[in-house]
């Protein structure tokens, strides 16, 4: 690797981030083309079915791509999908060297793109800023290799571990910076999921609100085993391009199902778990079938507890506010029975901790029951 390679790869990663939340079920990818120490073309994948990052960069570079170096955050594709293989375009453009941050976990590629480039006489190097690249595409990596969506559990709590006061009041635990960060998380996930308890208590819009009216609304998923969702709830009636899906069970009344269906809500009947709640794994299977690759869980104590107990959570993002609510009746972020001993605790690793206004933002990857870590390798 050359000393300047890291600079250009960081630029490619920054470009890739612009596609977060917009390319599903495809990965986010950024590309930079450099010739004689000057950037001559760059681009990023903007939406599934549109040209890939490499194509945008090659088009911007034109003839200047001949003899240049291509920096790309993910191995170029070598197969026909909704777009032609990027490897063919790279070879035709006369690129001399390719630096890829990581190999593509997609089994249809998995090293094939690198091999095709090398066979064409192009110098290929991999592994530069690989950790950053893998984290950027953590949802895609899981989805393409397991067929299951990536699940992020988000919570906001006080210093003494409360998500509301003893009266149920919860607005606001955290400050404006943390709340904006939470909306940024919504913007980059395919779906946001809550339980019926959150709907009945707060009547949230479940939309993305960022400065300047920016932000993309995620698909709204509500767990409601007995269809108690009021037809007048804002998540049902608020105008949004994102659909609302209510996951329920056979225990739901037919009349309630019809009411919601008439309002444009998709009512999805799924198997019930032993406690009567909607079972997590069939739900994830159905959402994956809809090509939802990432889910942000913003539930209450009950939803959080069942998600953890089912082993479906990959990552936790917690906003810790320097406040104390107190009170034995004030709820914490995870309900249920909990663990019996500290050794049974759900363990987070790969932690990142930093300030978010007056609050702390803590994120980490969950170690599954089998011992494997969700942290992208």
């Amino acid at each position: 690797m050359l000393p300047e390679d890291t600079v250009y790869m960081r630029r490619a990663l920054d470009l890739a981030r612009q596609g977060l939340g917009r390319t599903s079920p495809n990965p986010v990818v950024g590309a930079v083309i450099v010739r004689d120490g000057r950037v001559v073309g760059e681009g990023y994948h903007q939406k599934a079915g549109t040209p890939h990052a490499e194509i945008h960069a090659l088009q911007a570079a034109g003839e200047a791509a001949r003899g240049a170096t291509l920096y790309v955050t993910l191995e170029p594709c070598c197969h026909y999908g909704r777009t032609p293989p990027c490897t063919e375009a790279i070879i035709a453009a006369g690129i001399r060297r390719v630096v890829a941050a990581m190999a593509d976990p997609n089994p249809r590629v998995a090293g094939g793109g690198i091999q095709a480039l090398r066979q064409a006489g192009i110098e290929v190097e991999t592994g530069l800023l690989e950790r950053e690249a893998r984290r950027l595409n953590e949802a895609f990596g899981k989805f393409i290799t397991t067929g299951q969506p990536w699940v992020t559990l988000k919570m906001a709590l006080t210093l003494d571990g409360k998500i509301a006061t003893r009266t149920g009041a919860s607005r606001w635990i955290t400050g404006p910076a943390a709340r904006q960060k939470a909306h940024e998380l919504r913007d980059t996930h395919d779906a946001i999921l809550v339980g019926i308890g959150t709907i009945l208590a707060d009547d949230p819009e479940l939309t993305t609100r960022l400065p300047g009216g920016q932000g993309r609304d995620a698909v709204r998923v509500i767990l409601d085993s007995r269809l108690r969702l009021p037809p007048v709830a804002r998540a049902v009636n608020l105008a949004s391009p994102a659909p609302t899906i209510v996951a329920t069970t056979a225990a739901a009344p037919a009349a309630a199902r019809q009411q919601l269906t008439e309002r444009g809500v998709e009512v999805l009947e799924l198997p019930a778990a032993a406690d009567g709640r909607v079972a997590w794994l069939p739900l994830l299977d159905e959402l994956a079938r809809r090509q939802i690759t990432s889910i942000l869980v913003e539930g209450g104590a009950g939803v959080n507890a069942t998600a953890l107990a089912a082993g479906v959570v990959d990552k936790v993002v917690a906003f810790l506010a320097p406040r104390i609510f107190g009170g034995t009746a004030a709820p914490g972020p995870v309900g249920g029975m909990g663990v019996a001993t500290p050794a049974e605790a759900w363990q987070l690793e790969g932690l990142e901790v930093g300030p978010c206004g007056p609050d702390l933002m803590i994120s980490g990857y969950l170690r599954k029951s089998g011992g494997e870590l969700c942290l992208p390798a």
Side-chain angles (χ1 to χ4, degrees):
M1 296 288 182
L2 302 174
E4 62 268 25
D5 287 345
T6 300
V7 175
Y8 297 127
M9 186 60 79
R10 289 202 184 281
R11 173 59 182 163
L13 288 166
D14 287 341
L15 288 166
R17 288 187 184 93
Q18 296 183 45
L20 282 170
R22 274 85 182 152
T23 65
S24 183
N26 288 359
V28 293
V29 184
V32 175
I33 298 175
V34 178
R35 179 175 173 179
D36 299 328
R38 183 173 66 91
V39 174
V40 296
E42 59 181 32
Y44 69 96
H45 186 38
Q46 299 173 14
K47 185 180 179 181
T50 65
H52 291 184
E54 301 94 320
I55 305 304
H56 284 295
L58 289 169
Q59 289 173 345
E63 280 302 311
R66 194 160 300 277
T69 296
L70 167 67
Y71 297 88
V72 62
T73 58
L74 185 70
E75 172 188 1
C77 67
C78 56
H79 64 283
Y80 281 89
R82 282 189 271 188
T83 58
C86 288
T87 50
E88 292 183 2
I90 293 168
I91 294 167
I95 289 289
R96 177 186 63 83
R97 177 173 175 251
V98 172
V99 181
M102 60 177 285
D104 192 338
N106 186 344
R108 297 180 69 185
V109 183
I114 294 171
Q115 182 180 7
L117 294 174
R118 285 176 174 160
Q119 286 176 345
I122 297 173
E123 178 186 351
V124 181
E125 298 180 69
T126 62
L128 180 62
L129 301 182
E130 182 173 359
R131 176 177 176 272
E132 291 89 336
R134 287 191 178 278
R135 288 199 173 192
L136 196 59
N137 270 315
E138 56 196 13
F140 170 76
K142 180 186 179 185
F143 182 77
I144 202 67
T145 56
T146 70
Q148 288 285 301
W150 178 268
V151 179
T152 301
L153 176 61
K154 172 250 167 184
M155 57 182 73
L157 61 159
T158 63
L159 198 59
D160 58 336
K162 307 295 184 181
I163 60 171
T165 68
R166 60 181 172 81
T167 64
S170 60
R171 297 186 178 179
W172 297 103
I173 292 174
T174 55
R179 297 201 297 275
Q180 177 171 322
K181 187 64 180 178
H183 280 278
E184 290 174 7
L185 287 171
R186 290 183 179 185
D187 184 56
T188 58
H189 283 74
D190 292 344
I192 173 175
L193 183 148
V194 300
I196 184 60
T198 295
I199 298 292
L200 296 176
D202 300 331
D203 193 19
E205 296 176 356
L206 302 181
T207 56
T208 301
R209 299 179 296 281
L210 292 173
Q214 299 299 305
R216 175 198 56 85
D217 289 347
V219 175
R220 295 170 286 193
V221 181
I222 301 168
L223 304 185
D224 185 4
S225 60
R226 291 179 286 135
L227 281 192
R228 293 183 291 153
L229 177 64
V232 295
R234 289 196 288 181
V236 172
N237 292 282
L238 190 71
S240 170
T244 298
I245 299 173
V246 179
T248 191
T249 67
R257 185 194 306 262
Q258 182 177 346
Q259 265 192 323
L260 292 172
T261 301
E262 289 172 353
R263 289 183 175 267
V265 175
E266 181 182 0
V267 179
L268 186 61
E269 184 177 317
L270 294 167
D275 60 2
R277 298 172 184 255
V278 175
W280 274 98
L281 293 180
L283 170 64
L284 295 186
D285 286 340
E286 281 297 322
L287 295 180
R289 196 168 61 82
R290 289 161 173 77
Q291 295 197 317
I292 290 174
T293 67
S294 59
I295 301 168
L296 181 66
V297 176
E298 292 193 22
V303 168
N304 295 348
T306 59
L308 287 166
V312 301
V313 177
D314 299 294
K315 187 176 186 178
V316 175
V317 178
F319 296 95
L320 186 63
R323 298 181 173 196
I324 297 174
F325 283 175
T328 55
V334 181
M337 290 293 292
V339 300
T341 67
E344 298 174 281
W346 291 287
Q347 182 70 41
L348 297 182
E349 298 189 18
L351 292 181
E352 291 186 354
V353 182
C356 193
D359 309 310
L360 280 180
M361 178 177 169
I362 305 170
S363 65
Y365 297 86
L366 206 71
R367 183 173 291 281
K368 301 290 189 175
S369 59
E372 71 275 16
L373 189 63
C374 294
L375 177 66

